[in-house]
Amino acid sequence: MNAPLNAPVTVSILGLGEMGRALAAALLGAGHAVTVWNRTPGRAAQLVESGAVEAPSAGAALDSSELVIVCLFDHDSVHETLDPLVDRLRGRVLLNLTTTSPEQARELGRWADAAGVAALDGGIMAVPSMIGGPGSEILYSGDQNSFERYRHVFDRWGISSYFGADPGLASLYDIALLSGMYVMFAGYMQGAALVATAGVSATAFAERSAAWLSAMSGELVGYGRVIDGGDYTVAGQQSLDFSDLSKMLEAAAEAGVGAEPLAMVQSLIARQRDAGRGAEGFARIFESVRHADSVAGSGGGERQTTVDGSAAAA
Ligand SMILES: NC(=O)c1ccc[n+]([C@@H]2O[C@H](COP(=O)([O-])OP(=O)(O)OC[C@H]3O[C@@H](n4cnc5c(N)ncnc54)[C@H](OP(=O)(O)O)[C@@H]3O)[C@@H](O)[C@H]2O)c1
């Protein structure tokens, strides 16, 4: 007979770094039977005080639980830890929360499949202190039955989002979201370096930037619609010619600060303008990224139209 939904489960967590400890603590708080293991002993004391059992080996940790979670350094460390134990994983559910590339997640999925292990891969959209609190989300892909079976366990960490059977999808979304985050952070650093030349603190500028960037994030959906529609000539868009960042680059040079974040965006704009697409919308820089091996990309068709809707020579 199946255990009732939401019942406590036996769960083992391999890897007690910052993140593994936060994940384990949250599951202990939810009343699950948690076994923990770490390559280097001595990191489990607080969890053991809170009711966890420390396994003497990774194999013993696997033997203790129906659900096995690994949160290690990287893809290689996952294989290094699990390969010798693959027979002991059979019949259990594996959730890999170690950050890996989509292809590495797919490789681990094939490895698990061949061993008869139901597996999920996850991407953690949180830092350890956020686990179990507001704003924490974990992305999942892989075996859907396992996701549904253990979703009540996962929900303890934050919002649980499932993307599909392809094990690489969670990682793909993870990396895509982090791409936006890092470039946004670099943009803030660029601005902070500029205003620092006028004696403005990075903290004061951060507060102003947070409000500005939050307001501007409303533009993303509009860009998404243009990209999906494939027509960068739709009226009402800010054109690439208008978006030219030369003045901003000059200002950075005048101030004597670096300009790499700005220069990166300018190079995406320049590729489209150089290909004769300057009258089209700013969203067209998507084509500079999408087609790494071509100058302008193919989106938008052959016919060019200015942003106010009038036809232009191709
Ligand atoms: N921290 C975050 O904000 C965050 C956010 C999202 C995702 N993640 C991901 O979560 C994973 C863990 O992150 P973390 O912050 O917990 O890292 P961490 O504090 O550096 O811990 C790394 C863990 O991996 C173990 N490890 C390293 N190499 C190993 C090997 N060859 N065999 C077995 N164990 C090995 C370490 O064990 P020892 O103690 O023996 O060295 C430790 O338990 C990473 O993939 C990270 O990208 C972290």
Side-chain angles (χ1 to χ4, degrees):
M1 204 173 83
N2 285 336
L5 283 177
N6 301 332
V9 304
T10 54
V11 50
S12 289
I13 300 194
L14 281 69
L16 299 180
E18 293 287 325
M19 188 53 89
R21 290 203 303 275
L23 298 169
L27 297 192
L28 281 166
H32 299 294
V34 178
T35 299
V36 294
W37 172 84
N38 195 59
R39 177 183 62 172
T40 308
R43 299 188 90 170
Q46 217 172 337
L47 294 168
V48 169
E49 253 177 50
S50 306
V53 172
E54 184 173 15
S57 65
L62 259 54
D63 294 343
S64 306
S65 299
E66 58 190 282
L67 173 62
V68 173
I69 297 166
V70 288
C71 188
L72 301 173
F73 179 63
D74 62 5
H75 183 65
D76 287 348
S77 51
V78 172
H79 271 301
E80 208 174 293
T81 304
L82 294 183
D83 281 1
L85 303 170
V86 64
D87 291 338
R88 288 159 88 169
L89 259 184
R90 202 159 292 123
R92 304 173 203 285
V93 169
L94 172 67
L95 167 61
N96 179 32
L97 289 177
T98 310
T99 304
T100 62
S101 73
E103 277 314 310
Q104 289 172 332
R106 290 178 184 122
E107 187 281 329
L108 193 72
R110 288 191 295 273
W111 174 90
D113 231 19
V117 176
L120 282 164
D121 203 88
I124 304 172
M125 307 311 298
V127 294
S129 59
M130 289 168 66
I131 296 297
S136 168
E137 181 177 14
I138 302 199
L139 319 178
Y140 298 88
S141 53
D143 184 55
Q144 186 167 7
N145 287 337
S146 299
F147 176 74
E148 280 161 12
R149 184 164 154 204
Y150 291 111
R151 186 186 181 140
H152 67 289
V153 179
F154 307 153
D155 282 349
R156 184 69 186 197
W157 294 324
I159 295 167
S160 310
S161 303
Y162 177 79
F163 290 91
D166 170 359
L169 285 175
S171 167
L172 191 66
Y173 272 89
D174 184 356
I175 288 164
L177 289 166
L178 289 177
S179 301
M181 181 194 78
Y182 277 112
V183 176
M184 178 186 75
F185 285 164
Y188 155 73
M189 307 292 173
Q190 172 77 76
L194 273 164
V195 295
T197 63
V200 179
S201 76
T203 309
F205 185 65
E207 283 161 16
R208 187 168 288 279
S209 292
W212 165 247
L213 292 172
S214 299
M216 293 314 292
S217 69
E219 297 294 304
L220 294 179
V221 171
Y223 286 140
R225 289 201 184 109
V226 170
I227 291 165
D228 290 342
D231 182 0
Y232 299 100
T233 67
V234 175
Q237 299 178 63
Q238 180 174 306
S239 74
L240 284 158
D241 287 337
F242 186 87
S243 308
D244 178 79
L245 305 189
S246 298
K247 292 275 182 300
M248 294 166 70
L249 288 159
E250 279 165 32
E254 281 168 13
V257 303
E260 286 87 345
L262 284 173
M264 180 274 290
V265 181
Q266 179 76 330
S267 77
L268 299 176
I269 293 171
R271 278 169 66 188
Q272 298 303 321
R273 294 181 77 204
D274 291 351
R277 304 286 191 167
E280 299 187 30
F282 179 75
R284 202 182 162 95
I285 67 169
F286 173 73
E287 301 297 333
S288 297
V289 179
R290 174 158 65 168
H291 300 281
D293 54 352
S294 77
V295 175
S298 56
E302 291 307 307
R303 188 175 153 275
Q304 283 186 60
T305 314
T306 54
V307 285
D308 64 3
S310 58

